[in-house]
Amino acid sequence: MNSTLSPPLPSPAASPWWQPHVHQDRRPFLLGRNRIQQAFRGFFAGADFVEVDTATLQVSPGNEAHLHAFATEAIAPDGGRTPLYLHTSPEFACKKLLAAGEARLNCFSHVYRNRERGPLHHPEFTMLEWYRAGEPYAVLMQDCGKLLALAAESAGRPILSFRDRQADPFLEPERLSVTEAFDRYAGIDLLASLSPDGRQTDAPRLAAALVAAGLRVASDDTWSDLFSRVIVERIEPRLGIGRATILDEYPVIEAALARPTVHDPRVAERFELYACGVELANAFGELTDPVEQARRFAVEMDEKMRVYGERYPVDDDFLAALAHMPEASGIALGFDRLVMLATGASRIEQVLWAPVAETRR
């Protein structure tokens, strides 16, 4: 008997995406994707944006504590090896282009995030980012409203939908601060757990507020853990129902790349766009102080080391560029997610022309 092991049989649970009958089911979503992307390119070109294409390989994949990158290395002709990463966002490169003199730019970029796979997550996906030099970040909110409507028009559907939730893309998005959302949906005074400058947090005080609101608390929860639990369990499911929601003014400690608001140093010029309970976009009034940015990156990487036992390098070239970067506003939108909502797809793989192979232990 031949002792060579036979290759494992494919799982009967699902057919490969390339089989003709599977492709025919996905094809309407994919053609909708192409129409939306073409319309978006026309929108940005009509507003005098320059479309750019940035490198995927970077010396740093980004410095947010809970983002996980794919690592690789460059091998020089002499055999020398340098660690590199697939970027989690084109943000650093786009901001360098702002420093170089571009005033309005947009970018459709494939980005890569490890430890992420599910109905709304994929290890490789398309991020649409755009930046406006010298313009307030409230203008990005107007952009979001226009793009939601344009996506629906291009897909030929009058509504955005995901599972049993819907949102009218032609209505002006609701604007709600994070502080208001904590009070409205959890009965929690968020700002009471922040110091006057926003840099120090009071985790025990926030934990007590969560207990009073009926939320679970663990003995080792950090302030950020508690903050995220309220967002995920009480706030996110209620956002973007009926119409889109702009969740605005995050605490500075939860906005590592955004500048503080002029009226309250505890909160930052950061908003997230939601529709049908799904996070679609993350926007900043951009921080341009390289010293403060370096401090925030250090805090994020210390937290990454504490939780995951690793840290990513800081792109010193990015910090140098910040010193030359003009005041600007920028936003990153999960393009595939918006296509899902506009076309009525139920899983992100349905709107990806060639999904990444399934990986299992």
Side-chain angles (χ1 to χ4, degrees), residues 43-44 57 126 130 136 164 168 200 215 223 231 242 251 268 271 284 287 307 329 340 354:
F43 170 84
F44 286 109
L57 289 171
T126 299
W130 68 98
D164 60 345
D168 186 336
Q200 304 300 319
L215 288 162
W223 186 94
I231 290 286
F271 75 80
F284 299 144
L287 180 67
V307 177
S329 300
M340 286 178 61

Side-chain angles (χ1 to χ4, degrees), residues 257-272:
L257 290 144
R259 58 185 175 235
T261 65
V262 295
H263 64 272
D264 189 340
R266 295 173 295 180
V267 296
E269 290 189 353
R270 175 191 175 189
F271 75 80
E272 291 196 343

Side-chain angles (χ1 to χ4, degrees), residues 63-65 197-199 250-261 265-270 284-303 314 319:
N63 297 100
E64 295 182 48
D197 65 359
R199 291 190 178 186
Y250 277 68
V252 166
I253 196 170
E254 294 293 325
L257 290 144
R259 58 185 175 235
T261 65
R266 295 173 295 180
V267 296
E269 290 189 353
R270 175 191 175 189
F284 299 144
E286 303 293 354
L287 180 67
T288 55
D289 179 345
V291 175
E292 173 62 13
Q293 187 66 83
R295 184 194 71 80
R296 294 189 190 182
F297 280 165
V299 170
E300 288 287 314
M301 290 300 92
D302 286 347
E303 177 66 4
V314 172
L319 294 177

